[in-house]
Amino acid sequence: PDAITVQELANRMAEKGSDLVKALFKMGMPVTINQTIDQDTAELLVTEFGHNIQRVSESDVDIQVDTVEEAEDKLQPRPPVVTIMGHVDHGKTSLLDALRGTDVVRGEAGGITQHIGAYQVTLKDKSKITFLDTPGHEAFTEMRARGANVTDIVVLVVAANDGLMPQTIEAINHTKAAGVPMIVAINKVDLDSANPQRVRERLLEHEVVVEEMGGDVQNVEVSALKKMGLDALIEKIQLQAELLELRANPDREAEGTVIEAKLDKGRGPVATILVNRGTLKVGDVFVVGAESGKIRALVDDKGRQIKEAGPAMPVEILGLSGVPMAGDPLQVVENEARAREVAEYRAGVIQNKRTTNAPASLESMFSALK
Ligand code: GDP
Ligand code: MG
């Protein structure tokens, strides 16, 4: 289209229609909000307003992740979300696999495990723990930089034979920067060359003071290979989780975070979402990053189709308009028009950031109207 109404343009720009009318008036074009303007004029306006598109995105049109405190009586305990970090080959994957084996529900599901980047185990006492498949330090930092603090607890895996290595130290620094409590899992204690005490000592150099050394950081000796120390590790996670008093309101529209996303050959765009609060349901309309959609199916980490997913539950979603990015926030919104509006608007903002010049987003504003 070559023309756009002032109101439409205002919507796309996330500006007040009246502000656009005022600006147009100053430019010598007295028009009303429902009148159309040509592309050149629109472009001028965008340039005029370009500088503050981003600022407005954080208030008016864009959806804010709701930081308002939930009413106390709405909050219910939720499972902890645990990320396993550590140096390559120190046993992160092995430990995740071993911990997965503690899931009492797993057997019922036929043991077919879906690789969805995150999983939840149900323990004998019916309590649950969510584990994020180690996202790599970059992803962890990136997610945090984007405000996605998805992890409650970090389990730092250190191989008892190898000791502290560069990525161990990196993980310590990331965890500290994130202000997330850490539990040290000293792995591979089945090896003759294992020296767990040396690990505890070396940790002191990085201001990680475990209980045996007079500090308050929990540590546990494990062997992912021999499945030793797993119960002790789980106990420590539960203890830490209790201290954190993790709670969320399950009775509200869902908010979540993308853990990973991809284009699946058969199923189209799919994303693994960690629900932060509320309950995500089949049929929900949502915005996620610059994408939108309607939940066509929810698939849990055991490959089962489920109807809904509550706080701290990782779930794969189908029904996306495109592939979002890891760390993108997901919000359920009232209707599809609203979802598209926000997603398109965000796509424009993202494009703005990429091209530095505001007018570039005009293309997307117009194409969004087609
Ligand atoms: P990641 O790179 O941290 O994910 O490490 P992996 O889980 O892939 O493990 C690296 C190697 O260490 C593999 O060969 C594992 O079999 C081995 N490994 C992991 N845990 C243990 C353990 O507890 N004891 C022994 N002896 N080997 C282990
Ligand atoms: Mg691995």
Side-chain angles (χ1 to χ4, degrees):
D2 310 314
I4 183 171
T5 69
V6 176
Q7 182 63 66
E8 283 277 13
L9 183 62
N11 290 347
R12 301 296 159 207
M13 285 169 67
E15 291 286 356
K16 287 206 193 85
S18 57
D19 287 347
L20 263 65
V21 170
K22 260 185 245 163
L24 283 162
F25 187 79
K26 277 192 207 154
M27 287 157 64
M29 271 174 287
V31 293
T32 65
I33 200 152
N34 295 316
Q35 273 179 294
T36 56
I37 51 174
D38 62 25
Q39 185 147 4
D40 285 345
T41 309
E43 209 162 313
L44 257 171
L45 265 181
V46 174
T47 316
E48 192 77 30
F49 283 83
H51 65 279
N52 59 13
I53 278 184
Q54 234 166 295
R55 177 180 59 74
V56 174
S57 81
E58 281 147 28
S59 54
D60 290 357
V61 158
D62 205 356
I63 296 176
Q64 272 270 295
V65 175
D66 192 357
T67 48
V68 178
E69 291 271 315
E70 297 268 2
E72 189 68 16
D73 59 343
K74 299 262 173 68
L75 295 173
Q76 288 179 30
R78 65 160 177 85
V81 180
V82 178
T83 299
I84 301 204
M85 297 178 90
H87 196 74
V88 66
D89 280 346
H90 278 201
K92 298 180 295 294
T93 303
S94 306
L95 189 59
L96 274 160
D97 287 348
L99 288 164
R100 192 170 200 157
T102 63
D103 190 352
V104 296
V105 181
R106 190 162 155 262
E108 297 164 23
I112 307 157
T113 47
Q114 187 101 341
H115 184 83
I116 70 165
Y119 65 83
Q120 194 172 61
V121 297
T122 304
L123 304 163
K124 284 181 213 104
D125 65 0
K126 296 264 168 24
S127 68
K128 295 173 196 293
I129 301 176
T130 300
F131 289 99
L132 295 190
D133 226 335
T134 171
H137 302 167
E138 261 167 54
F140 185 80
T141 314
E142 164 79 0
M143 277 198 195
R144 207 168 57 78
R146 302 178 62 212
N149 279 322
V150 288
T151 304
D152 301 310
I153 297 166
V154 164
V155 169
L156 179 71
V157 179
V158 187
N161 57 333
D162 245 9
L164 268 64
M165 297 297 274
Q167 286 168 284
T168 318
I169 293 154
E170 227 176 86
I172 291 171
N173 293 336
H174 286 315
T175 308
K176 282 192 173 169
V180 175
M182 181 196 295
I183 298 170
V184 183
I186 304 177
N187 190 32
K188 307 200 186 184
V189 293
D190 57 287
L191 295 173
D192 287 340
S193 52
N195 190 348
Q197 185 54 23
R198 172 100 186 105
V199 172
R200 286 187 277 266
E201 286 165 13
R202 285 288 316 281
L203 284 169
L204 284 175
E205 292 163 29
H206 301 276
E207 277 119 51
V208 178
V209 189
V210 299
E211 285 167 336
E212 288 90 332
M213 309 298 282
D216 55 9
V217 176
Q218 302 193 87
N219 77 107
V220 56
E221 296 181 12
V222 299
S223 166
L225 195 72
K226 307 271 190 224
K227 302 193 178 8
M228 277 160 48
L230 300 179
D231 288 345
L233 175 57
I234 284 168
E235 248 170 59
K236 288 184 193 291
I237 291 170
Q238 288 177 319
L239 188 69
Q240 186 65 64
E242 256 170 56
L243 292 173
L244 294 171
E245 291 185 51
L246 303 165
R247 297 187 300 166
N249 175 6
D251 302 314
R252 52 164 290 158
E253 65 289 1
E255 286 177 8
T257 307
V258 176
I259 301 302
E260 60 178 14
K262 62 175 186 218
L263 190 61
D264 187 284
K265 257 192 191 157
R267 301 182 299 165
V270 293
T272 301
I273 304 295
L274 179 74
V275 178
N276 301 122
R277 57 165 94 182
T279 297
L280 191 59
K281 302 182 178 104
V282 171
D284 275 352
V285 175
F286 62 90
V287 183
V288 57
E291 304 297 339
S292 62
K294 183 173 182 170
I295 305 281
R296 213 170 65 226
L298 292 171
V299 183
D300 75 4
D301 58 341
K302 286 140 193 112
R304 302 178 297 193
Q305 292 230 5
I306 53 173
K307 289 267 181 298
E308 52 179 53
M313 177 148 183
V315 69
E316 206 175 50
I317 64 167
L318 273 69
L320 286 151
S321 61
V323 183
M325 295 196 301
D328 274 347
L330 175 142
Q331 287 117 357
V332 168
V333 294
E334 56 271 26
N335 57 51
E336 279 162 276
R338 174 75 175 142
R340 272 195 302 273
E341 182 187 25
V342 176
E344 280 161 9
Y345 169 71
R346 282 184 182 171
V349 172
I350 289 163
Q351 201 169 355
N352 266 337
K353 284 186 190 157
R354 286 188 188 134
T355 55
T356 67
N357 282 330
S361 73
L362 195 64
E363 283 305 311
S364 63
M365 288 182 187
F366 273 99
S367 65
L369 296 172
K370 277 175 199 162

